[in-house]
Amino acid sequence: MDDQFDVVIVGSGMGGATTAYALALKGKKVLVLERGSRVPKEIQNWSPKDIFIKKRYRSDEVWVDKNNKEFAPGVHYIVGGNTKLYGASLPRFKECDFGEIKHHEGVSPAWPFSYSDIEPFYYEAEKLYKVHGTVEPDPSGPWRANPFPYPAMEHEPYIQDLAERLRKVGVTPIANSMGIDIGPGGNCIRCNTCDGFICKLDAKSDAEINALNPAIATGNVELRTESQVMKVVLTSDGKSVDHLLVNGPSGEYKVTGKKFVISTGAVNTSALLLKSKSDIAPNGVANSSDQVGRNFMMHNNSHIVVFDWKRKNDVTFQKTLSFSDWYSDGGDGYPLGTVQLIGKVQGIMMRTVAKRVPLPILNYIANRSVEFLVMAEDLPHKDNRVTVNSNGQIRTSRTAVGVSTHQTLMRRTKKVLLKAGYTAIFVQGYDISINAHQCGTTVAGHDPKTSVVDQYCKTHDLKNLYLIDGGFFPSSGAMNPALTIAAQALRVVAQSDLGK
Ligand SMILES: Cc1cc2nc3c(=O)[nH]c(=O)nc-3n(C[C@H](O)[C@H](O)[C@H](O)COP(=O)(O)OP(=O)(O)OC[C@H]3O[C@@H](n4cnc5c(N)ncnc54)[C@H](O)[C@@H]3O)c2cc1C
């Protein structure tokens, strides 16, 4: 029965939903299999306690790290995937990110396609995800054939003042590229429950609202929720996918189709391929190169919280500013990364790190703080990898590469923030559990011996299998990944056999 589908897509996050949307517009019949359910509109969508303390929408899976220490991964198995809770900061990668870049601690490899190749699809993705931005001076900004589809979100007075302070100390504040339905006719009410929350008003651009629902509305796409793909089964010659084994609400069943796309997120995609090993694919599916699971990346990220005790931060929507002055050259010819405001942290959210501090004190602190994400590139390494233990548990082994670059970026950032008038600084590094920006593990390349997919995310090994999610990234850049995943999904459907 499932042979009626031209394409079966596994996963409804950024990669899967955007692929479904593009295929639906081409008239293709598509089945989307998603292990999670739709998140209901409920009071908890906007509750900091439910989201940050009780972790209501997080998966209850347990993974292990390189020392076999268990941790709860920051992943969300729901329709729309991680984009339901993400920060909707949707910048393009810089033009230089697509070429080889020398770092202090190694080399960021070139991609099998250039910025020019993906530029038109970045614009299409920006339209689809309603990206607001401006081409105001960004020292390392990539060229654009078209202006942003929507104007930049305005800074609130506190952030406008921060921008002036930063300018005075020599950095160039730029507008964050935000995927938000704000402006004439838009649903956004500019609240403080955006970054990290689920939008009750469908005003944060996410994969479910902006891509999957419009795809289903064409009549060409069927979504099956609570349908976890357990195994990818190959034809007897080992050259194609024959069917998927699915664990659905009424038990296990097979799904056949003409072409298959796996978009379950970098870690889960490689884990699924490895778990699917068989006599015909003893090393796992699409893994003749032994590269599946390798080159796992997640950025070298930290939060910086700075305080100005004399001034209250009364901002509602904080995430409108970033700076990338040292993105490709920190002064010695080597790149550093980017610094972005994040959504305003509320007192109760600080409980995740300050468990015993009374709430009134946390509120006092949060009312006077401003929070940044400091993001540096995480270089790929063959031994940073996803594997699957004999009990089926996912293992992510990682020793960060590029730590000195991150440390330099942190020092530079702290220095300018102190010069800009902030008096105290608190720093929180990201550990392995915060793998929000997970990428790599099924990297794209021209050479089937050193990569898993080609420049169009088609597996080198199999005729009818594509992997479209953060897994294809050959390098992580130092930019938020989601827009690049969406742009590549649109490019793959427009230019490869998948859309034919
Ligand atoms: C808190 C948070 C904040 C973030 N903020 C930003 C941001 O501001 N900007 C940005 O660019 N990025 C951000 N990210 C990262 C961004 O969300 C991801 O890069 C993006 O969602 C990855 O897309 P994907 O298609 O690879 O995977 P996902 O979007 O995670 O989708 C994977 C989907 O596959 C499903 N799935 C998994 N396994 C199976 C299976 N076996 N069978 C069926 N379905 C399966 C999952 O349930 C999920 O729906 C953030 C992430 C988090 C967690």
Side-chain angles (χ1 to χ4, degrees), residues 259-272:
K259 292 173 188 163
F260 297 85
V261 176
I262 301 180
S263 302
T264 55
V267 171
N268 271 293
T269 290
S270 50
L272 178 61

Side-chain angles (χ1 to χ4, degrees), residues 323-391:
F323 54 96
S324 292
D325 297 66
W326 316 303
Y327 193 86
S328 35
D329 185 358
D332 59 359
Y334 290 97
L336 288 185
T338 196
V339 182
Q340 291 172 352
L341 283 176
I342 58 169
K344 182 72 198 90
V345 170
Q346 303 174 34
I348 190 156
M349 290 152 71
M350 292 184 168
R351 272 269 164 85
T352 52
V353 284
K355 294 191 175 57
R356 296 206 184 131
V357 183
L359 195 55
I361 296 182
L362 292 178
N363 285 336
Y364 179 86
I365 294 170
N367 286 341
R368 285 156 185 82
S369 65
V370 58
E371 298 84 13
F372 298 84
L373 171 62
V374 179
M375 198 187 311
E377 182 158 353
D378 178 17
L379 297 175
H381 191 282
K382 67 180 175 43
D383 296 331
N384 284 345
R385 63 190 298 202
V386 175
T387 50
V388 181
N389 287 343
S390 53
N391 61 359

Side-chain angles (χ1 to χ4, degrees), residues 43 51 131 148 159 178 182 269 290 319 398 417-418 465:
I43 197 153
I51 293 199
V131 178
F148 275 89
I159 304 304
M178 294 300 303
I182 197 166
T269 290
D290 190 33
K319 201 174 174 169
R398 172 177 182 261
L417 292 173
L418 287 173
L465 180 64

Side-chain angles (χ1 to χ4, degrees), residues 252-481:
E252 209 162 76
Y253 66 102
K254 284 182 187 178
V255 166
T256 54
K258 293 173 192 145
K259 292 173 188 163
F260 297 85
V261 176
I262 301 180
S263 302
T264 55
V267 171
N268 271 293
T269 290
S270 50
L272 178 61
L273 297 174
L274 293 171
K275 275 183 205 170
S276 299
K277 69 181 176 190
S278 63
D279 289 347
I280 197 102
N283 215 14
V285 163
N287 196 22
S288 64
S289 60
D290 190 33
Q291 292 300 306
V292 170
R294 295 187 187 274
N295 304 303
F296 168 60
M297 297 168 276
M298 47 173 255
H299 282 148
N300 294 318
N301 283 344
S302 294
H303 281 153
I304 285 188
V305 185
V306 290
F307 306 92
D308 180 349
W309 302 111
K310 292 190 292 278
R311 235 164 33 109
K312 272 195 129 183
N313 180 358
D314 57 357
V315 74
T316 304
F317 192 98
Q318 181 171 269
K319 201 174 174 169
T320 53
L321 178 151
S322 58
F323 54 96
S324 292
D325 297 66
W326 316 303
Y327 193 86
S328 35
D329 185 358
D332 59 359
Y334 290 97
L336 288 185
T338 196
V339 182
Q340 291 172 352
L341 283 176
I342 58 169
K344 182 72 198 90
V345 170
Q346 303 174 34
I348 190 156
M349 290 152 71
M350 292 184 168
R351 272 269 164 85
T352 52
V353 284
K355 294 191 175 57
R356 296 206 184 131
V357 183
L359 195 55
I361 296 182
L362 292 178
N363 285 336
Y364 179 86
I365 294 170
N367 286 341
R368 285 156 185 82
S369 65
V370 58
E371 298 84 13
F372 298 84
L373 171 62
V374 179
M375 198 187 311
E377 182 158 353
D378 178 17
L379 297 175
H381 191 282
K382 67 180 175 43
D383 296 331
N384 284 345
R385 63 190 298 202
V386 175
T387 50
V388 181
N389 287 343
S390 53
N391 61 359
Q393 188 173 37
I394 290 176
R395 181 172 188 223
T396 52
S397 309
R398 172 177 182 261
T399 304
V401 192
V403 174
S404 67
T405 297
H406 181 62
Q407 285 166 345
T408 309
L409 180 61
M410 289 291 282
R411 272 198 304 278
R412 297 284 288 272
T413 306
K414 284 190 224 168
K415 210 166 157 186
V416 294
L417 292 173
L418 287 173
K419 271 169 92 180
Y422 290 93
T423 46
I425 287 183
F426 171 79
V427 170
Q428 187 200 4
Y430 278 28
D431 63 20
I432 188 88
S433 69
I434 310 180
N435 46 30
H437 289 183
Q438 57 179 265
C439 60
T441 78
T442 54
V443 298
H446 295 304
D447 185 352
K449 290 200 182 72
T450 55
S451 58
V452 179
V453 295
D454 68 12
Q455 65 152 320
Y456 291 116
C457 289
K458 183 176 164 300
T459 51
H460 292 301
D461 291 359
L462 298 159
K463 288 180 192 157
N464 61 348
L465 180 64
Y466 293 72
L467 311 176
I468 309 179
D469 54 25
F472 81 86
F473 284 25
S475 66
S476 66
M479 278 290 159
N480 320 58

Side-chain angles (χ1 to χ4, degrees), residues 9-18 32-37 52 58 61 74-91 93 177-178 195-197 204 207 224 226-231 245-247 262-269 272 275 319 340 373 375 430 434-439 468-471 473 479-486:
I9 299 176
V10 189
S12 66
M14 201 56 156
T18 312
V32 178
L33 298 166
E34 166 56 52
R35 70 184 280 176
S37 309
F52 291 92
R58 266 216 197 171
E61 256 182 9
V75 290
H76 305 86
Y77 298 142
I78 48 185
V79 173
N82 281 315
T83 69
K84 288 307 288 181
L85 289 104
Y86 77 164
S89 177
L90 296 177
F93 272 30
S177 304
M178 294 300 303
D195 193 359
F197 294 84
K204 177 169 75 176
R224 286 187 203 160
E226 294 168 56
S227 298
Q228 181 178 359
V229 173
M230 309 302 289
K231 194 168 181 184
L245 219 50
V246 183
N247 196 0
I262 301 180
S263 302
T264 55
V267 171
N268 271 293
T269 290
L272 178 61
K275 275 183 205 170
K319 201 174 174 169
Q340 291 172 352
L373 171 62
M375 198 187 311
Y430 278 28
I434 310 180
N435 46 30
H437 289 183
Q438 57 179 265
C439 60
I468 309 179
D469 54 25
F473 284 25
M479 278 290 159
N480 320 58
L483 187 77
T484 300
I485 298 171

